[in-house]
Amino acid sequence: KENCRPDGRELGEFRATTVNIGSITTADGSALVKFGNTTVICGVKAELATPTEDSANKGYIVPNVELPSLCSPRFRSGPPGEEAQAASQFIADVIDNSQIIEKEDLCIANGKLVWVLYCDIICLDYDGNLLDASAFALLAALKNVQLPSVTINEETGSSEVNFKQKNPLMIRKHPVATSFAIFDDTLLIVDPNAEEEELATGTVTVVTDEDDRLSSVHKPGGSPLTGAKLQDCITRAITRQREVKQLIDKVIKSIKPK
């Protein structure tokens, strides 16, 4: 009624969002993202592999979301739980549906050699809205990736890697996830924290890109949404996409090339 949430935000207000790019020097690309207290880090490691016969000209992107016990008392150490698996699947769907990277761009030699990008997304502090933070960290880390140039020696057939000459990835789309919590089947609040997620009757995550294209809508059960409410979410998500893209561009611009 008062348009105010327990942490002082308005219903449609996001938490303070920060991104730090390239902070893990051992990875080929990395990013640390914070939404309020929620903190997620993404490291991308590139490896060479032989493609399968049915996709001879395509590389691979393998995302994995980890929720270690250090990020919240709700998680146990051990094999990935349901929430971590669902988040990994969500990120995999975002990669496939949004064409963030064309898998053909990861091909080095048709049928012989391709890049595999292992994208490890680890939550360091869990305070709600894992999906938005994970998708943001993935995009920022991929923007930071520099791959060495690889040539195949025709005589020996072996690959030669030149670490002195590095090229960035071709990022074709900039998908951004925006999550909403639904209360009493009617009320929508944006960027829910952990407490709000627990109390919500449902959540919905909308993924859009810079062309205002809808990449995916992720709604794991809960309250039904009317068409009009979903349209409101999409409109808000489109605005958020622009804000996030501006933030990433600004941070990348501020990092001077080595």
Side-chain angles (χ1 to χ4, degrees):
K1 204 166 70 185
E2 301 287 337
N3 189 25
C4 186
R5 288 150 76 169
D7 59 7
R9 286 186 287 162
E10 292 182 0
L11 300 183
E13 194 180 332
F14 288 86
R15 289 173 287 183
T17 305
T18 58
V19 57
N20 185 324
I21 294 181
S23 40
I24 308 176
T25 49
T26 51
D28 294 302
S30 63
L32 176 89
V33 167
K34 290 191 77 160
F35 282 27
N37 290 332
T38 294
T39 310
V40 171
I41 197 157
C42 175
V44 179
K45 204 75 180 143
E47 288 183 10
L48 296 169
T50 311
T52 54
E53 282 179 19
D54 55 345
S55 55
N57 65 336
K58 291 182 180 177
Y60 305 93
I61 306 173
V62 185
N64 179 42
V65 178
E66 283 182 42
L67 296 169
S69 50
L70 73 89
C71 72
S72 164
R74 62 155 69 191
F75 303 118
R76 300 272 168 270
S77 50
E82 199 177 322
E83 196 165 341
Q85 288 176 13
S88 296
Q89 188 55 54
F90 168 78
I91 295 293
D93 291 344
V94 168
I95 291 168
D96 289 341
N97 294 334
S98 65
Q99 285 120 33
I100 182 169
I101 289 176
E102 292 287 355
K103 290 185 179 158
E104 288 82 357
D105 290 345
L106 298 173
C107 179
I108 298 161
N110 198 336
K112 290 182 184 169
L113 206 60
V114 295
W115 285 110
V116 183
L117 301 180
Y118 291 101
C119 308
D120 287 316
I121 299 165
I122 300 166
C123 182
L124 303 178
D125 190 349
Y126 184 96
D127 187 19
N129 202 359
L130 172 72
L131 299 185
D132 291 12
S134 299
F136 187 163
L138 174 82
L139 175 60
L142 288 173
K143 296 270 292 181
N144 176 239
V145 170
Q146 295 275 339
L147 295 179
S149 69
V150 178
T151 48
I152 289 191
N153 187 321
E154 291 299 327
E155 292 168 16
T156 61
S158 62
S159 52
E160 296 173 358
V161 182
N162 179 3
F163 288 101
K164 290 197 172 74
Q165 189 186 352
K166 290 195 169 186
N167 301 308
L169 276 177
M170 177 91 132
I171 304 293
R172 295 177 178 271
K173 288 278 183 278
H174 294 74
V176 172
T178 307
S179 292
F180 302 83
I182 311 159
F183 283 90
D184 302 332
D185 300 346
T186 52
L187 191 68
L188 284 169
I189 65 163
V190 75
D191 182 23
N193 63 23
E195 183 190 10
E196 290 165 341
E197 278 181 354
E198 298 259 322
L199 299 169
T201 51
T203 58
V204 60
T205 303
V206 177
V207 185
T208 57
D209 66 20
E210 61 265 49
D211 302 328
D212 301 349
R213 249 176 17 129
L214 194 59
S215 309
S216 64
V217 175
H218 175 72
K219 189 171 182 315
S223 304
L225 266 188
T226 62
K229 288 275 184 206
L230 188 56
Q231 198 55 56
D232 285 350
C233 292
I234 294 169
T235 308
R236 187 71 189 85
I238 286 169
T239 314
R240 173 68 171 172
Q241 194 281 335
R242 298 210 165 85
E243 292 165 1
V244 166
K245 173 129 178 13
Q246 272 177 346
L247 180 57
I248 291 179
D249 288 346
K250 190 173 116 189
V251 172
I252 287 176
K253 217 173 189 174
S254 71
I255 304 170
K256 295 182 175 56
K258 289 170 183 147

